[in-house]
Each structure stands twice: as C-alpha cells, then as structure tokens.
Amino acid sequence: MTHPDLPTDRQKNDLVRQGNLRAAARNTANEGAHVDPSDVAAQRFSFNGRWTRRDWAHASLFATLGALVVAMVPGFSNAMPEIDLAPPQLTTMALPLPPLSKAATARQPAESWHMVTVESGQTLGAIFEAEGIPAATLQKLLDATQDKQALTRLRPGAMLGFDLGQDGTLRALRYDRNESQRVVLSLDGDNVVERVIERPIEVRTAVITGTVGRSLFHAARKQGLSGATINKLTDDIFQYDIDFSKDVTANDRFSVVVEQHWREGELIRTGDVAAAVFTAKGKPFTAVRFERDGKAEYFTAEGRPLKKSFIRSPIQYARLSSRFGARRHPVLGTMRMHKGVDYAARTGTPIMAAGDARVVSAGWQGGYGNTVVLDHGRGYTTLYAHMSRIAGLRRGQSVKQGQVIGYVGSTGMSTGPHLHYEFRINGVHRNPLQHTMPPPEPLSGPMLAQFRQQTAPALQRIRELEDIIYATVPAQPTEEDTQVAAADAAPDKRG
C-alpha cells in the first residue's frame, strides 16, 4: 500500500527533470560567460542519492557483461597454451640385449630353396659344378638314394632344388620322384637323411567350351585346353568328318569334357577327352570315348564308330589350292584333267596315310616327283606326289591310318610346295572331296546298353553348359505377327 505523504517514483522523476530544465535556463542566461566543461559534466552526471529505473537497468547490464568476461578469459588461457619452438633434446642410449638361449643357438636355419631347371643335354654333374658344389658331395647323395639312375638321366624341364648355407655349402637337395612324391636329401655331417613328401593328386572332370574366332588353337588354349588335347581333337577324333583347313569358321564352337589332374592348386596334366562336340557351320559333330574289347575308341552319340576307312585330308592345316576336274596345267599351259586335289603347305609339312594300307611304290615318278602309292584293299588306292622326301618306306610295307609317309615339297612338275593327292577306285580317279565311304557298323545289344550308360553323364554336362552359354533369346513378336496370329485363331464365319 502506498503512503499518501511520500512522493511516488513518477513524482521523483518529474522533480529531477524540472531541476535539469532550471539549470539549462541559467546556462542560457549566462551566455557569453566562461563555463568550465568539468562543471557542466559534473552537473549533468551529478547523483542526488536516488536511483532511477534506468540506472538500475544500466547497472544490471554492466554486471552481466562483467560476469561473462570473467568466465571466458580462463578458457582462452587453457585453449591457447604457450608453444615452445625449441627442438626437443634427444638422447641415445645403448642397451645390452639378453644372451640367446642354447636351444635358439643350436636351432637350424630356415630352408631357402634355389630352384634350377634342367636344360637339354645338361647333366647332374654339370649342374652341381655350376652351383659350386663339390663332386664328392654329389657322389655322397647318389650313394644314399634309390633314385640314382633317375637322377643321372634327368629330362629337360625337370626342377631341382638346392638349399645352400651362407657359406655356399649344400644343406639339402630336392627333386620330384614322380607326380605324387617329392624327395628331400638332407646332409647331416657325413650322413644323408632321405625324406619323402607325399603330394596328393586330385582328378576333376571339367567341361571347356568356346568359339573358334580367328584361330582354333589360340581360342582353345585360352579356354584351358592343352596343345596335346587340341591335336587330339583335330588329328584323331574329328579328322574323319571335319576338314579343319576349310570346314571351320569363326562362329563355330567346341565343347570338351576332360579329366584334369591338380596338385596343390596347380594344374599339372590333362587327361583323355571323355566327350566332345564340335559345331561346324551349324552342324554338330559328337564324339564319346568308350572302351571296346579293352581298346579305347570314339563313337557318335548313337554308338557308331567315328573311325572310318579314310580320313578327310591327308595333311592338316593346309590350303586347298586346286580342285578335282578340268583345268589349265600351271606348267604345260594346256587344258587337261586334274585327277586329284592340291593342298598348298610349307615345305616339310608331314603327310599322313589316308587309311590302313600296303605300300605299292615309293620313289620318283616323272612329273609327280617323289611319290608314294598305297593300296587300301577292295580296289581302293591313293597317290601322294611332289614330296620333298619320303619317310623311309619300302614296297610291300604296311602302314597305319594317320602314319607319316612323307613331307611336302615341290619335286617334279610343280610351281611351288604342295601335295597332289589322288583317290582311285578300281583304277578310276574319283574326287576325294566328294566320295564318301559307307559308315561302319554301330554298337548293338549289351555293348550298346553299356555304352549309353557310361557316356550319358558326359554328354548331359555338355548339353547343360551349351544351353546356358549359347542359349538364344527368342525374338519378341511384332504387331504384324500378333495380328496374323489373332486372325488365324478367329473362327471362320464363311458359310
């Protein structure tokens, strides 16, 4: 409750304001007189013992700012410590290491193998001499192992491992006894300790497929087939049905089932071809391996033997340079009958017998040059001319199909190295590219049932892989096809 006799705050402010106005009036009346600035300031800021609300507000503001400054200054001092730019003083002290235990001192150093590949004509003695190992050490190793004969007859490409000490002395010799056994001969003073390490071999059945592209050999090698396997396909399995010199295009494909032998994660050998499918110009040729009467042969999927009486071409990877029929003779320049076919190839290319036969003649025959004539029985004969040399044949000798009988040359009336090949039936020349022999008899009865049981899994794996890789996406029907299909499906309303 406010007392009526005491002045209110508003009245106090009015009294102060009236006092200020009276002082200003006195200053105006005394204009022209000298006034001390300090007196004016003192009068302006004179304090009469009473605080107004403005004074309290100003005091509160300055107190708050002071408190904030006091709180922030220690933080800045902690966040910005003084930096000593002088480099630190480092001191190096030599500390003695504890002595090695007797067990650590006596421990043998770790093996460090230096591998050497045996070159052609290189002997074990020459290898030891090149490594600086005395002959007496070599003799000591040979006397202590049962593989003395094998070590003294090393094959080119074999690997030998030498464990040499820091002074060059031999500590151990390592070599492979066979595919699954590795032998380590360690020297312990005058004694030789033999250690045999078993290296298990894992056999895997693999399906390898690819397209021919620019080169069948390079494409097959890129997919993982060995050179021997590729030659097996071209020179043995499919030689009766496919002429790889002219019947194969870049879009043709091959699929092969083989057994791969792995050792410690490394492919060391590829086994026999269990099955193969070669698609040439859209036509698939199938071959499956099957043992009949203890002899491995290749058959079609229906069980018909692939081996025929004659192979398609007596020379592999050659270019057909001249066909059967009338032509102008390249040397005589006259029109005459060309009674065979010519295969252009490099001089020295092997020539094979087209089938099992007996040698009728082997020698020089006028314009034919070095020539071989073979009799295959039943009235069939073949002739091979212009050879550079004949493979040591004599009259009456028997030859097997695919056996090398000579080498490409340019002897006789020839303008370049090539093979002139003739095919005759009862003395009449026939076109070897068109004449076909009757197919051999297929398997039958229990033998055919056994064949199907054994070969079905391999063929199935090829079909599954080819269905995945070479599957074609069916074309989407066009609007015209849809309209035609709808018209065909609509009922015929004609009466």
Side-chain angles (χ1 to χ4, degrees), residues 99-169:
L100 292 175
S101 63
K102 294 182 179 181
T105 306
R107 187 178 303 155
Q108 293 292 336
E111 295 178 345
S112 179
W113 294 104
H114 167 55
M115 305 306 298
V116 176
T117 303
V118 179
E119 299 178 357
S120 179
Q122 197 174 24
T123 63
L124 186 61
I127 296 175
F128 269 66
E129 183 179 357
E131 296 296 325
I133 303 173
T137 304
L138 171 59
Q139 189 61 43
K140 184 187 299 184
L141 294 173
L142 293 177
D143 293 340
T145 179
Q146 58 179 342
D147 300 324
K148 180 178 180 179
Q149 185 175 2
L151 286 174
T152 54
R153 297 180 181 178
L154 294 173
R155 295 182 178 181
M159 299 290 293
L160 296 176
F162 294 88
D163 181 19
L164 303 175
Q166 294 183 355
D167 56 354
T169 59

Side-chain angles (χ1 to χ4, degrees), residues 4 6 27 75 125 142 163 171 225 232 253 273 295 299 325 327 343-344 369 376 381 401 406 422 428 443 448 464 489:
L6 295 178
N27 292 337
L142 293 177
D163 181 19
R171 296 187 299 195
L225 290 179
K232 182 76 173 179
R253 65 175 185 257
V273 175
K295 181 181 179 182
F299 298 81
R327 66 162 189 175
Y343 292 97
H376 302 274
T381 59
Q401 185 182 70
E422 294 182 3
V428 181
L443 298 173
L448 178 61
E464 291 176 355

Side-chain angles (χ1 to χ4, degrees), residues 243 246 312 320 323-324 341 343 430-435:
D243 187 348
K246 65 182 186 64
R312 287 290 304 273
L320 183 65
R323 296 181 178 272
F324 184 89
V341 293
Y343 292 97
R430 300 293 181 87
N431 186 351
L433 300 180
Q434 296 179 353
H435 184 77

Side-chain angles (χ1 to χ4, degrees), residues 204-211 216 219-221 223-226 228-234 237-238 253-260 270-279 285 287-289 298 458-459 461-463 465-466 469-470:
R204 308 175 188 173
T205 301
V207 183
I208 300 175
T209 185
T211 55
L216 170 61
R221 289 287 291 172
Q223 295 299 327
L225 290 179
S226 63
T229 303
I230 300 171
N231 293 334
K232 182 76 173 179
L233 295 173
T234 58
I237 299 177
F238 294 115
R253 65 175 185 257
F254 56 90
S255 299
V256 187
V257 178
V258 293
E259 289 185 347
Q260 294 181 337
T270 301
D272 293 325
V273 175
V277 175
F278 198 103
T279 304
F285 296 89
V288 188
R289 187 176 185 269
Y298 286 93
L459 291 177
R461 295 191 64 176
I462 290 180
R463 294 191 188 99
L465 183 63
E466 289 195 344
I469 297 179
Y470 305 111

Side-chain angles (χ1 to χ4, degrees), residues 59-128:
S60 299
L61 177 60
F62 284 115
T64 303
L65 291 176
L68 290 176
V69 171
V70 172
M72 293 174 61
V73 168
F76 281 109
S77 62
N78 293 334
M80 301 179 62
E82 295 184 0
I83 301 176
D84 187 4
L85 300 179
Q89 299 294 329
L90 301 178
T91 303
T92 304
M93 300 179 62
L95 299 177
L97 296 176
L100 292 175
S101 63
K102 294 182 179 181
T105 306
R107 187 178 303 155
Q108 293 292 336
E111 295 178 345
S112 179
W113 294 104
H114 167 55
M115 305 306 298
V116 176
T117 303
V118 179
E119 299 178 357
S120 179
Q122 197 174 24
T123 63
L124 186 61
I127 296 175
F128 269 66

Side-chain angles (χ1 to χ4, degrees), residues 133-411:
I133 303 173
T137 304
L138 171 59
Q139 189 61 43
K140 184 187 299 184
L141 294 173
L142 293 177
D143 293 340
T145 179
Q146 58 179 342
D147 300 324
K148 180 178 180 179
Q149 185 175 2
L151 286 174
T152 54
R153 297 180 181 178
L154 294 173
R155 295 182 178 181
M159 299 290 293
L160 296 176
F162 294 88
D163 181 19
L164 303 175
Q166 294 183 355
D167 56 354
T169 59
L170 180 66
R171 296 187 299 195
L173 172 68
R174 187 179 80 182
Y175 62 92
D176 291 336
R177 176 177 291 169
N178 48 49
E179 287 186 348
S180 60
Q181 288 184 332
R182 172 168 289 174
V183 180
V184 178
L185 300 177
S186 302
L187 291 170
D188 186 8
D190 295 334
N191 300 325
V192 178
V193 180
E194 182 179 274
R195 180 164 53 101
V196 180
I197 303 174
E198 296 293 338
R199 308 174 71 192
I201 296 177
E202 180 184 0
V203 180
R204 308 175 188 173
T205 301
V207 183
I208 300 175
T209 185
T211 55
V212 172
R214 295 184 178 180
S215 169
L216 170 61
F217 186 86
H218 289 100
R221 289 287 291 172
K222 185 177 181 181
Q223 295 299 327
L225 290 179
S226 63
T229 303
I230 300 171
N231 293 334
K232 182 76 173 179
L233 295 173
T234 58
D235 301 346
D236 184 12
I237 299 177
F238 294 115
Q239 64 175 333
Y240 307 98
D241 300 310
I242 303 174
D243 187 348
F244 286 91
S245 61
K246 65 182 186 64
D247 292 343
V248 177
T249 64
N251 294 327
D252 294 341
R253 65 175 185 257
F254 56 90
S255 299
V256 187
V257 178
V258 293
E259 289 185 347
Q260 294 181 337
H261 297 252
W262 293 79
R263 182 185 62 198
E264 299 175 355
E266 177 186 3
L267 178 62
I268 60 174
R269 181 165 50 88
T270 301
D272 293 325
V273 175
V277 175
F278 198 103
T279 304
K281 296 181 179 179
K283 181 180 180 181
F285 296 89
T286 304
V288 188
R289 187 176 185 269
F290 178 70
E291 290 190 4
R292 179 172 59 173
D293 299 331
K295 181 181 179 182
E297 301 179 48
Y298 286 93
F299 298 81
T300 64
E302 295 75 23
R304 191 178 297 276
L306 284 180
K307 183 177 180 180
K308 299 178 177 60
S309 300
F310 294 91
I311 57 180
R312 287 290 304 273
S313 173
I315 183 172
Q316 292 290 340
Y317 309 112
R319 177 177 58 87
L320 183 65
S321 58
S322 183
R323 296 181 178 272
F324 184 89
R327 66 162 189 175
R328 184 177 298 278
H329 196 277
V331 177
L332 300 178
T334 59
M335 292 297 296
R336 58 189 303 179
M337 184 67 178
H338 189 226
K339 300 180 180 181
V341 293
D342 292 345
Y343 292 97
R346 293 182 179 181
T347 300
T349 302
I351 301 171
M352 301 176 294
D356 297 341
R358 178 181 56 86
V359 178
V360 176
S361 62
W364 190 273
Q365 287 193 19
Y368 283 130
N370 290 327
T371 305
V372 173
V373 179
L374 301 180
D375 183 5
H376 302 274
R378 296 179 296 175
Y380 293 91
T381 59
T382 54
L383 179 143
Y384 313 80
H386 304 306
M387 294 183 179
S388 61
R389 61 187 178 94
I390 299 172
L393 301 179
R394 64 182 184 276
R395 184 175 182 178
Q397 178 181 346
S398 297
V399 294
K400 294 293 184 180
Q401 185 182 70
Q403 179 179 336
V404 177
I405 59 176
Y407 302 88
V408 171
S410 186
T411 57

